[in-house]
Amino acid sequence: MLEAAIITELENLAGKENVLTGKVDLVAYSYDATADMPKQTPDVVVLPTSAEMVRDIVQLARRNRIAIYPRGAGTNLSGGTVPLKKGIVLSFQKMNQIVEIDPANLTAVVQPGVVIAALNAAVAPHGLIYPPDPGTVATATMGGSAAENSGGLRGLKYGVTKNYIMGMEVVLANGEKVRFGGKTVKNVTAYDFSNLFVGSEGTLGIITELTAKLIPAPKYRRTMMGVFKTLADAGNAVAGIIAAQVIPATLEIMDRMTIRTVEDFARIGLPLDAEALLLIEVDGMAEEVVRAEAEATMRVVRDNNGDLKAAETDQERDQLWTARRNALPALASLNNTVVLEDATVPRSRITDMLVACETIGKKYNLTLGTFGHAGDGNLHPTILCDKRDPDEIHRVHQAVDEIFETALRFGGTLSGEHGIGMAKMKYLGDELGQSGLDLMQTIKKALDPDAILNPGKMVPQREN
């Protein structure tokens, strides 16, 4: 436990109302949304209200070699915010101001605690959107999203978080406050520090402000559902849509297990006899272009033995996306533990990966449903299990190992949007090799020599 003098100093820096030490509060910050991860209560939770306050807290932590864990909404799925070595959780829920919306420069400046959905609501009257759209968009924060480099349903056409962060303010491990980037469309000065910190999962510095790129909201859209008798047909349709040079805003997949579970959960009217569904949306600024892309998509679906239904009203469109966003909560209702993975492969191997996930689930006698962002090759094989059953948990770990081995063998990667955290750290060497691990450790040591920033995450500890 931290000495009472440290707690008192934190209270002096942040105000007593922003320093939490009660047992219930500490338990609430001992875990995040990741299943099957260790839990650890921090020594204290601090709710900073300014970058200067963050700077002062980091300086205190550095002097006393105390670990610090930056935290947004805790919706990450890699164990990224669990305070493994106790210490201080910095929760940014009170730094939630939209500092500026600048339509002339198509930018917004936000504090890290701003919820993504709130940012989009604020820029909508200007005819703008912030495209990254994680499944937890209603609760996920901009700071957490940047730290994890999160993706989402619109990633295929619009990219992930790193494509929309133009600049940031960061407090480094030495307590210095620095700024990188800004509003300029072109900035190639020196190292690309902003992209170094995006996706660094709080291990290199603490983000206290972000300059985000906005884009004009598409004026037209067409939403469709493709229904397939086999997973292979659905996967082939995904590849066919891209081969037809159509890049949908969203191209999502749900397998039979997910379809039936979502229908039981939400009663939306999904076809229970389908082996797979594709949920597709094309959008754009020109009505004729959107119409042409929709027609091309329909042809591909039908050429791959799929039946297609187009949403004719906003209500029907909303129902389809409600189905997709309910995939995880629906599957989670089946058992007490949800192991949601994030295997990503080249689009040309999406069919192979879909079939492999189904085969792996059967091999280890597990309840496994797969959904995800099929258009960019980012699948979420989701295992429903009982954490009280050691034998089943052992089989879950075997299945996860094989899922990632398969993704890498197909030329894929360990994460398309969930990050590494604790959950995937052991696999990093398989993708990066020893030279890649050495480089990560060198960067971590240079920026955080005392290893106080989110220790035990993302960067494997260097062996002496």
Side-chain angles (χ1 to χ4, degrees):
M1 294 180 64
L2 294 182
E3 296 177 3
I6 298 292
I7 301 296
T8 298
E9 193 167 354
L10 287 170
E11 291 175 342
N12 291 336
L13 291 174
K16 286 188 177 182
E17 70 278 10
N18 295 319
V19 178
L20 310 179
T21 57
K23 183 176 179 179
V24 172
D25 291 321
L26 299 183
V27 169
Y29 290 88
S30 68
Y31 60 95
D32 54 31
T34 319
D36 195 28
M37 282 286 115
K39 297 180 181 180
Q40 175 64 62
T41 55
D43 291 305
V44 61
V45 177
V46 184
L47 314 178
T49 57
S50 69
E52 290 70 29
M53 190 180 293
V54 173
R55 177 197 61 201
D56 293 344
I57 293 167
V58 170
Q59 290 173 349
L60 169 64
R62 186 190 183 202
R63 290 194 303 270
N64 293 277
R65 300 291 183 92
I66 302 168
I68 300 179
Y69 303 88
R71 182 184 176 103
T75 58
N76 81 87
L77 292 164
S78 60
T81 51
V82 177
L84 282 177
K85 297 185 178 181
K86 298 182 76 69
I88 302 169
V89 166
L90 278 186
S91 177
F92 284 92
Q93 62 206 67
K94 290 191 175 182
M95 288 181 65
N96 61 354
Q97 299 302 304
I98 297 174
V99 179
E100 178 190 50
I101 297 171
D102 184 352
N105 285 304
L106 296 179
T107 59
V109 179
V110 300
Q111 292 184 320
V114 170
V115 173
I116 297 172
L119 174 60
N120 268 314
V123 302
H126 301 280
L128 302 172
I129 61 168
Y130 173 73
D133 185 35
T136 52
V137 65
T139 52
T141 63
M142 289 292 292
S145 180
E148 294 287 331
N149 195 11
S150 61
L153 277 65
R154 291 195 285 242
L156 169 60
K157 183 173 183 177
Y158 293 106
V160 297
T161 300
K162 69 180 180 181
N163 304 119
Y164 294 89
I165 300 303
M166 300 174 67
M168 63 177 65
E169 178 185 77
V170 178
V171 174
L172 302 175
N174 63 7
E176 293 182 5
K177 188 174 67 169
V178 293
R179 281 187 175 273
F180 308 122
K183 293 183 180 182
T184 57
V185 175
K186 297 170 72 175
N187 184 335
V188 296
T189 302
Y191 299 123
D192 188 353
F193 286 114
S194 291
N195 264 337
L196 175 63
F197 284 88
V198 171
S200 66
E201 302 186 21
T203 63
L204 302 180
I206 300 174
I207 298 169
T208 53
E209 189 175 272
L210 293 157
T211 300
K213 178 171 69 175
L214 308 173
I215 66 170
K219 292 183 178 180
Y220 302 97
R221 63 193 182 195
R222 188 70 164 156
T223 307
M224 298 158 279
M225 177 174 67
V227 182
F228 297 87
K229 297 292 186 183
T230 70
L231 270 177
D233 282 340
N236 292 337
V238 171
I241 290 168
I242 305 302
Q245 299 183 0
V246 175
I247 306 298
T250 309
L251 179 48
E252 299 288 300
I253 195 165
M254 297 166 61
D255 71 357
R256 176 180 59 179
M257 173 72 184
T258 308
I259 296 165
R260 294 182 177 184
T261 305
V262 168
E263 182 58 25
D264 286 344
F265 183 81
R267 303 296 180 185
I268 293 169
L270 299 178
L272 297 179
D273 59 342
E275 287 292 319
L277 293 181
L278 291 183
L279 303 178
I280 311 158
E281 184 164 286
V282 293
D283 67 7
M285 304 303 287
E287 186 175 12
E288 62 272 18
V289 172
V290 172
R291 184 186 304 114
E293 290 188 342
E295 290 172 354
T297 299
M298 292 176 185
R299 286 195 295 272
V300 171
V301 168
R302 289 167 180 149
D303 287 346
N304 285 277
N305 307 309
D307 295 325
L308 191 133
K309 176 184 177 182
E312 300 298 339
T313 65
D314 285 344
Q315 182 180 8
E316 289 181 4
R317 174 186 181 270
D318 291 344
Q319 279 188 322
L320 291 180
W321 296 125
T322 296
R324 170 57 182 86
R325 292 190 185 279
N326 271 312
L328 179 55
L331 289 168
S333 69
L334 297 182
N335 213 327
N336 62 42
T337 306
V338 182
V339 179
L340 174 65
E341 295 303 343
D342 177 30
T344 304
V345 296
R347 287 184 292 233
S348 60
R349 302 305 299 268
I350 192 72
T351 300
D352 297 330
M353 195 65 206
L354 284 165
V355 174
C357 288
E358 184 178 54
T359 301
I360 290 168
K362 291 177 180 177
K363 176 180 177 180
Y364 293 101
N365 191 27
L366 296 168
T367 301
L368 186 152
T370 299
F371 63 96
H373 320 301
D376 54 27
N378 186 190
L379 296 177
H380 297 311
T382 305
I383 304 171
L384 297 315
C385 55
D386 186 347
K387 62 186 176 184
R388 298 164 299 186
D389 183 340
D391 177 69
E392 185 174 41
I393 293 299
H394 175 68
R395 287 183 278 116
V396 168
H397 291 160
Q398 289 179 303
V400 170
D401 288 347
E402 190 164 335
I403 286 169
F404 286 121
E405 185 276 328
T406 303
L408 293 177
R409 179 161 47 84
F410 288 163
T413 183
L414 297 174
S415 179
E417 59 185 8
H418 289 174
I420 299 301
M422 290 188 289
K424 301 176 190 173
M425 200 161 52
K426 71 175 184 176
Y427 305 111
L428 268 181
D430 297 332
E431 179 169 347
L432 301 181
Q434 189 57 50
S435 295
L437 293 181
D438 289 345
L439 182 57
M440 287 183 66
Q441 291 161 345
T442 298
I443 294 170
K444 171 70 171 174
K445 184 70 174 177
L447 291 177
D448 182 19
D450 299 317
I452 64 170
L453 296 181
N454 208 8
K457 314 296 171 51
M458 191 174 176
V459 186
Q461 184 174 355
R462 189 190 295 271
E463 295 183 5
N464 298 321

